[in-house]
Amino acid sequence: MSRKLPHISKYSSMTDKRTQRRRKTSDGDPIVNTVIRNGVYHYRKRVPKHIAHLLPDKFKNKKEIYITLKTRKYDEALRDSLRWDRIWEDNFAKLKAQLGITSTTDYIEVRAAAIFNAANNLHNIHSQAITQTHQSSTPKHTIKEVYDSYILAKKPKQAAQKDWHKGWEYFLGLSNLNWDSDIQEVTPDALREFFNKSEHLPTYPNRKIFKGKSPLEMVDICKKDNTQKTITAAAYNKHHGGISVVCKHAVEQRYLSDDPSRGFRREEKDSRTRLPYDEDDMKKIFSHSIFKKPKEQWDEYQWIPLFGFFQGMRLEESGQLLLSDVKFIADAKTNNTIWYFAVTEYDEDGEKSKDVKSGESRNVPIHQKIIELGFLDYFARAKKSKKASDDTRLFPNLRIFEGRTTHYFSKWWGRQRVEFGISSKQKVFHSSRHTFIDATRETDITTEIRDAITGHKTYVSVAKQYGIGTSIRKMKEAIDKVSFSEEIFINLI
């Protein structure tokens, strides 16, 4: 006898075989309120009609909640879908409580009272009978509720969420509040207390001495032990930033009348924390054994560093490239084929599956040196792979961590930098982008074209708001002017 699938949602009544097939996970079981689209899991949940108008602006009056889980893995999708289901069930329950609804009968009474009162020009939509049954009071919006509301509405990167959550944990611990406190208790006085005490928070809270300690206990330890390193102004500002964005969201949603977080940032001593690699550094990097492998064996460990130096691309931009992001056009003026990377937040189906720091898509022509080193051959082999499709990543071996494709690659580069013989901690992977930008300054490349290539936002004049922008042919001519000493790459040829 075949095993009967468990009830999963109101959508289980669907009979379309193709839909039900796509809803199944890798081991054949469906996940609660989850569908699969092009191999990526999405969470969906029906919204009760009588509270749809009370949802945040992003979901207001929608028939269903639809959220991309941004994962192809069963375990991650299961965890995230259950988390979202708990959040939305709690949100729905709170909204129903605001209307005094605990049953279908209550709903009918509320609707009847609303119609009756509207006919009599009354502003209160609740009937007197319901008010007596359910005592009225000013709705309390907890810090956790507002925080979750912000995450739902804005969908920040997972790395940012992690930093901001830690910032809130520090703030709550140092101001004697908790996640269940009313958002109204987040006051300038509470922020001032956090500002004053936070300078004694430890840089490395995971050390044994701080294990199991509250933020206040950590502060006391650091005050007594001067050998413990405390957080920098930049680290504090990162934590404060998470508090600030939620407070601004609370103002937008009318939970707060004013933003209490203004004026509590710290002044950072040195904003130039990264230095470019010089030619001597580049010789050390590209003479290393990892670049002496046959070209047929090259993967992300060779191509991504080259993208930094010759394309000026950010690390995560390179790591999250899909096969479909490698494109070409035929230039009508020169009859040449121009290959380029489409750096965008969206996949082929229009789903937002990637992150671009500026939030704006751009096309980056592939440098001639990258082509000469055999990148198009690598791309052709990747396209012929049995598992290859348009939404397959260009570098499929990169392991994703908390939504970031290059988390582990970044850690590897930090260790590898020492092996290269580069001791300066101010020289990180992003330094290759600084090197690229410095190289453009040695040419006649205009600032406008350089920023179009690197994705930097600069001052926008009225004239720049007209037209379609810099042509890809002009950008290709410009990027090919970026050059370095041939001695640096003597081992690569």
Side-chain angles (χ1 to χ4, degrees), residues 432-445:
S432 62
R433 182 169 158 90
H434 287 244
T435 302
F436 172 84
I437 292 172
D438 278 350
T440 64
R441 295 189 177 110
E442 298 297 318
T443 69
D444 59 355
I445 298 175

Side-chain angles (χ1 to χ4, degrees), residues 218-409:
M218 291 181 184
V219 166
D220 289 338
I221 292 172
C222 290
K223 282 182 177 180
K224 294 174 184 177
D225 185 355
N226 293 330
T227 62
Q228 297 294 333
K229 288 188 67 176
T230 54
I231 63 173
T232 62
Y236 163 82
N237 287 338
K238 185 181 290 186
H239 295 322
H240 176 270
I243 299 169
S244 180
V245 293
V246 175
C247 287
K248 287 181 173 65
H249 176 70
V251 173
E252 291 174 2
Q253 299 299 314
R254 305 294 192 270
Y255 301 145
L256 292 174
S257 58
D258 194 23
D259 178 8
S261 66
R262 289 182 298 177
F264 291 103
R265 289 182 63 84
R266 294 192 188 281
E267 184 177 352
E268 299 180 28
K269 294 180 180 179
D270 184 10
S271 60
R272 188 176 174 83
T273 57
R274 294 164 180 152
L275 296 175
Y277 291 112
D278 55 31
E279 288 202 354
D280 186 51
D281 295 327
M282 293 176 70
K283 285 179 182 177
K284 293 176 180 178
I285 292 171
F286 292 109
S287 63
H288 191 271
S289 59
I290 63 172
F291 288 98
K292 293 180 181 179
K293 289 183 177 181
K295 297 290 196 312
E296 294 77 15
Q297 298 178 20
W298 278 22
D299 52 22
E300 61 270 14
Y301 294 109
Q302 291 79 26
W303 292 118
I304 289 182
L306 285 166
F307 289 176
F309 286 105
F310 283 100
Q311 306 291 149
M313 291 174 66
R314 300 179 179 93
L315 177 57
E316 186 66 6
E317 289 176 347
S318 296
Q320 65 189 6
L321 284 171
L322 306 178
L323 291 177
S324 57
D325 293 330
V326 183
K327 303 175 182 291
F328 69 89
I329 62 168
D331 181 31
K333 289 190 176 181
T334 62
N335 290 324
N336 293 330
T337 298
I338 300 177
W339 287 86
Y340 65 94
F341 295 121
V343 180
T344 175
E345 294 182 321
Y346 301 92
D347 60 21
E348 287 293 285
D349 297 312
E351 292 286 336
K352 186 175 178 180
S353 59
K354 297 173 284 181
D355 290 305
V356 178
K357 186 175 181 180
S358 65
E360 296 180 358
S361 300
R362 70 185 192 278
N363 296 325
V364 183
I366 301 179
H367 196 289
Q368 191 59 32
K369 186 71 174 180
I370 300 293
I371 293 176
E372 290 174 0
L373 289 172
F375 171 73
L376 295 182
D377 293 332
Y378 169 84
F379 174 64
R381 289 194 298 272
K383 289 275 284 186
K384 290 180 181 178
S385 173
K386 292 181 180 179
K387 297 182 180 180
S389 63
D390 283 343
D391 58 356
T392 299
R393 284 186 283 117
L394 183 61
F395 302 111
N397 295 329
L398 292 173
R399 290 186 296 145
I400 297 176
F401 177 79
E402 293 186 347
R404 288 191 62 221
T405 313
T406 54
H407 172 84
Y408 293 108
F409 185 96

